[in-house]
């Protein structure tokens, strides 16, 4: 075992949230080490092929997936430098003001300890830092005004445009989607070429993944990224009042200790509760930062209702990006659909290959043989899809807890127990119904709902933020209530998830937390 020279900050996880902390703190002159369990991916490893693309994703995880709607861990998780954000679709909607106060406005779920106005300046800063394309003015029909995006909207294609009259028929206003992709060259990074391979990573750097954005800034400012380093515990002083570093296993599976003045856990919503629970000591018998018993509780997912339509024309469905061309918050009100509760966020126009989209078949799964062949002949040029993401409310029964099985480092597996409630199912159904109405109004030859098992997308919660240790694990900056020099970053700190894809908010909250940490360094570091 080796103990490494003490640094100012050790960050666990080199994905979306960890990269922001690394950049801000390294630029503030701190000595930063980022420990990442997976490989040190480079742009040249991102090969535009579904088969090759599997290499950059986890093959499995140390989780037992349980409940009525087991969480789809492998599809959602990241593995390696860049995290899941290395190969995300970069849809960048934001949470809206109504997300921050559901409890006050509807008596349901939880309020955030902050409001939209606290996060809004950071949405603007992130857009300028990493590049967002979109039309902010057009979005401002649904949210308070902010800065324009640094790039104009992305190009649109026929497979998105064919849906517009359908949306109009039900009164849904679509605007250009906000995406973390370059519609023009941005800070020396290339403009998108619309070849639709974002889901296996963008080899030209047009997608705002961490390795070409915050992590590049962090390295320039002196941060060290140590790949193939799997963290198993946060270490604390004998009094249990301070984190003193982390234990990890290197590429040779040898135990190492990295001492640090501040520890930031940015290992995504699944791994962070597992790490905190596995860091129990006599001073923290239920796990670190867990006197409330809330570590691993209130796990949430989004679900999506996809509607397909087949056109008898070449709609260039292979072109574009895997993000959306158009989006709408017109069903974002919590009571937009009668008999259902929660927000919906609508997207249209992602590129579709004839093969699959990272494991989701772009075909009718009920067809075989000659029928499937005939369908694919038409689908290869005429298949299109829209989607509505739905909000799942926090439920304390949806949880992560340690299991008795152990991984190769002797660390207990965890179980993720997840079931959707009736509200979620009702919202899922309502969005399918409306999707079909929209599809029929497009004049498409055929349309159908993409029903299967109810999907679980974007894991959130598990280390939620709140006003005090009694109702939450961290404060609004991600600082744990119980151990002041231990921070948590990422979607785990969301107390509710809205219906918007989370990563724009993850970047914004991480920037807010990291800037606070840098400015309050002497108080936090002690
Ligand atoms: C296919 C796909 C499409 C997506 N599309 C969108 C989208 O359009 N819009 C959107 O907003 N979001 C999207 N997401 C989600 C988005 O990628 C995540 O929300 C985001 O990356 C989460 O950020 P994070 O920092 O919490 O975790 P990650 O970015 O996943 O980073 C966590 C890192 O921690 C590492 N790690 C975990 N455990 C340990 C450990 N014990 N020791 C060391 N390192 C560890 C992991 O290997 C990983 O690299 C998509 C995700 C996927 C997979
Ligand atoms: S469509 Fe654009 S962002 Fe996506 S992989 Fe291709 S060039 Fe990159």
């Amino acid at each position: 075992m080796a103990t490494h020279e003490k640094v100012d900050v050790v960050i666990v996880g080199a994905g979306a949230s960890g990269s922001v902390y690394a950049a801000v703190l390294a630029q503030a002159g701190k000595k930063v080490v980022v420990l990442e369990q997976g490989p040190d991916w480079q742009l040249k490893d991102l090969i535009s092929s579904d088969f090759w693309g599997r290499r950059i994703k986890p093959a499995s995880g140390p989780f037992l997936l349980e409940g009525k709607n087991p969480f789809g861990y492998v599809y959602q998780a990241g593995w390696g430098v860049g995290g899941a954000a290395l190969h995300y679709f970069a849809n960048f909607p934001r949470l809206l003001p109504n997300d921050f106060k559901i409890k006050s406005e509807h008596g349901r779920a939880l309020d955030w300890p902050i409001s939209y106005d606290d996060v809004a300046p950071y949405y603007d800063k992130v857009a300028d830092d990493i590049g967002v394309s979109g039309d902010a003015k057009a979005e401002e029909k649904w949210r308070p005004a902010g800065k324009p995006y640094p790039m104009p909207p992305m190009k649109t294609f026929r497979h998105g445009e064919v849906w517009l009259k359908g949306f109009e028929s039900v009164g849904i206003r679509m605007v250009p989607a906000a995406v973390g992709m370059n519609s023009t060259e941005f800070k020396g990074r290339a403009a998108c070429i619309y070849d639709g391979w974002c889901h296996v990573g963008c080899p030209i750097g047009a997608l705002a993944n961490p390795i070409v954005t915050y992590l590049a800034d962090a390295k320039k400012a002196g941060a060290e990224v140590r790949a193939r380093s799997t963290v198993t515990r946060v270490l604390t002083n004998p009094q249990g009042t301070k984190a003193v570093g982390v234990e990890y296993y290197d590429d040779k599976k040898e135990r190492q200790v990295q001492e640090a003045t501040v520890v930031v856990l940015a290992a995504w919503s699944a791994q962070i509760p597992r790490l905190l629970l596995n860091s129990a000591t006599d001073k923290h018998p239920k796990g670190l930062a867990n006197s409330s018993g809330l570590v691993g509780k209130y796990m949430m997912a989004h679900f999506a209702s996809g509607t397909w339509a087949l056109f008898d024309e070449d709609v260039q469905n292979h072109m574009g990006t895997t993000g959306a061309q158009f989006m709408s918050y017109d069903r974002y009100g919590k009571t937009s659909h009668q008999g259902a509760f929660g927000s919906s966020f609508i997207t249209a126009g992602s590129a579709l290959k004839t093969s699959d989209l990272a494991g989701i078949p772009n075909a009718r799964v009920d067809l075989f043989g000659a029928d499937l062949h005939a369908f694919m002949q038409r689908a290869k040029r005429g298949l299109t899809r829209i989607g509505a993401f739905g909000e799942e409310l926090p439920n304390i029964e949806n949880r992560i807890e340690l299991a008795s099985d152990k991984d190769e480092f002797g660390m207990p597996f965890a179980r993720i127990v997840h079931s959707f409630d009736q509200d979620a199912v009702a919202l899922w159904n309502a969005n399918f119904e409306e999707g079909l109405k929209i599809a029929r109004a497009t004049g498409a030859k055929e349309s159908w709902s993409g029903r299967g098992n109810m999907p679980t997308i974007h894991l959130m919660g598990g280390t939620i933020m709140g006003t005090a240790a009694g109702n939450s694990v961290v404060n609004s900056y991600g600082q744990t209530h119980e151990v002041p020099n231990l921070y948590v970053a990422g979607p785990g700190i969301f107390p509710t998830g809205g219906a918007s894809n989370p990563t724009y908010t993850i970047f914004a909250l991480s920037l807010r937390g990291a800037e606070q940490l840098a400015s309050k360094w002497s108080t936090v570091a002690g």
Side-chain angles (χ1 to χ4, degrees):
M1 186 200 83
T3 296
H4 293 261
E5 188 194 345
K6 184 172 177 184
V7 294
D8 294 317
V9 191
V10 63
I11 299 171
V12 182
S17 54
S19 66
V20 178
Y21 271 85
V24 171
L25 294 167
Q27 283 163 348
K30 304 299 170 209
K31 194 163 168 41
V32 175
V33 166
V34 185
L35 298 175
E36 165 55 51
Q37 67 178 354
D40 187 13
W41 300 120
Q42 310 292 320
L43 283 190
K44 66 178 168 36
D45 297 312
L46 307 178
I47 293 167
S48 301
S49 145
D50 280 314
F51 292 112
W52 280 94
R54 289 178 193 165
R55 288 185 323 148
I56 58 169
K57 300 176 185 184
S60 66
F63 291 95
L64 310 174
L65 306 170
E66 299 178 3
K68 238 177 9 193
N69 307 94
F71 184 74
Y73 176 84
V74 168
Y75 185 73
Q76 295 296 320
W79 178 62
V81 173
L86 186 65
H87 46 76
Y88 63 168
F89 303 172
N91 283 317
F92 267 28
R94 41 184 94 195
L95 294 177
L96 294 191
N98 65 346
D99 285 317
F100 294 83
K101 44 189 180 190
I102 309 187
K103 177 95 177 159
S104 312
E105 292 187 344
H106 300 277
R108 309 281 312 265
L110 303 166
D111 278 347
W112 289 52
I114 48 175
S115 70
Y116 177 85
D117 294 339
D118 295 304
V119 188
Y122 295 94
Y123 283 130
D124 290 341
K125 276 190 187 182
V126 168
D128 287 342
D129 284 351
I130 68 175
V132 174
S133 300
D135 182 347
K137 258 278 112 351
E139 284 174 28
E140 286 167 9
K141 52 170 85 50
W142 296 294
R143 64 167 172 89
K147 276 180 77 177
Y149 292 121
M151 286 176 281
M154 304 289 282
K155 201 161 130 177
T156 59
F157 294 84
R158 188 92 184 114
H159 62 98
E161 294 155 4
V162 287
W163 284 91
L164 294 180
K165 81 173 180 197
F167 283 111
E168 212 183 304
S169 75
V170 297
I172 291 179
R173 299 161 295 174
M174 300 299 282
V175 303
V179 290
M181 295 170 185
N182 293 350
S183 60
T184 59
E185 214 182 280
F186 185 77
K187 293 188 177 174
R189 285 167 38 216
C192 174
I193 56 169
Y194 301 99
D195 61 348
W197 283 107
C198 331
H199 62 292
V200 285
C202 175
I204 65 167
L207 182 76
N209 76 35
I211 64 175
V212 293
T213 58
Y214 285 118
L215 221 44
D217 296 342
K219 283 183 172 171
K220 223 178 283 162
E224 181 195 347
V225 180
R226 221 174 276 159
R228 302 261 186 207
S229 302
T230 305
V231 175
T232 47
R233 278 172 76 85
V234 178
L235 305 171
T236 41
N237 63 359
Q239 301 77 22
T241 51
K242 268 184 163 188
V244 295
V246 296
E247 169 194 84
Y248 72 97
Y249 287 81
D250 66 12
D251 55 345
K252 294 181 195 68
K253 301 195 175 159
E254 279 170 16
R255 183 174 181 270
Q256 308 279 344
V257 168
Q258 178 62 62
E259 295 183 339
T261 306
V262 171
V263 174
V264 180
L265 299 181
W268 198 49
S269 321
Q271 287 278 16
I272 295 171
R274 181 174 174 241
L275 280 168
L276 290 172
L277 295 172
N278 194 46
S279 303
T281 62
D282 57 338
K283 297 290 181 307
H284 297 275
K286 293 198 289 179
L288 215 46
N290 193 29
S291 65
S292 62
L294 289 177
V295 167
K297 301 287 169 52
Y298 295 121
M299 303 308 304
M300 294 166 280
H302 290 136
F303 44 90
S305 312
T307 303
W308 299 84
L310 188 57
F311 291 84
D312 267 348
E313 61 171 297
D314 183 351
V315 293
Q316 290 188 296
N317 50 3
H318 62 296
M319 296 288 292
T321 76
T322 53
Q325 296 178 40
F326 302 102
M327 66 176 190
S328 178
Y329 296 99
D330 262 337
R331 297 291 180 265
Y332 209 86
K334 304 293 172 194
T335 53
S336 294
H337 287 294
Q338 229 184 352
F341 186 88
S343 295
S344 301
F345 171 69
I346 298 166
T347 60
S350 59
L352 299 174
K353 305 287 181 195
T354 43
S355 52
D356 66 3
L357 184 63
I360 299 176
N362 289 329
R364 290 255 309 272
V365 288
D366 55 327
L367 300 179
F368 297 91
D371 290 343
L372 177 61
H373 184 76
F375 171 81
M376 291 307 281
Q377 284 292 354
R378 297 169 64 208
K380 68 185 179 199
R381 294 277 181 262
L383 185 66
T384 65
R385 188 190 55 192
I386 57 168
F389 290 94
E391 172 174 21
E392 176 183 27
L393 299 184
N395 171 353
I396 200 158
E397 292 303 321
N398 285 332
R399 62 191 186 275
I400 291 187
E401 56 199 17
L402 293 184
S404 50
D405 293 347
K406 299 219 162 122
D407 70 10
E408 58 191 316
F409 307 114
M411 182 177 178
F413 272 50
R415 64 170 56 82
I416 307 180
V417 183
H418 179 263
S419 305
F420 284 120
D421 64 15
Q422 275 316 305
D423 277 314
V425 175
L427 192 56
W428 190 50
N429 286 331
N431 280 322
F432 276 129
E433 267 170 45
E434 184 154 55
L436 274 185
K437 268 192 218 155
I438 295 165
R440 287 182 190 128
T442 61
K445 274 274 181 280
E446 287 169 43
S447 53
W448 64 96
S449 300
R451 273 182 188 277
N453 291 334
M454 194 168 168
T456 54
I457 310 171
H458 305 138
L459 191 65
M460 297 161 287
T463 46
I464 65 166
M465 67 163 82
T467 49
N471 60 24
S472 54
V473 178
V474 300
N475 67 19
S476 71
Y477 297 102
Q479 184 179 26
T480 61
H481 294 298
E482 285 169 44
V483 186
N485 67 336
L486 174 63
Y487 276 63
V488 174
I493 69 174
F494 294 13
T496 60
S500 298
N501 312 57
T503 312
Y504 197 14
T505 306
I506 294 170
F507 279 129
L509 290 177
S510 300
L511 197 53
R512 184 172 179 271
E515 286 187 358
Q516 184 259 11
L517 172 54
S519 70
K520 293 247 159 74
W521 181 262
S522 51
T523 330
V524 175

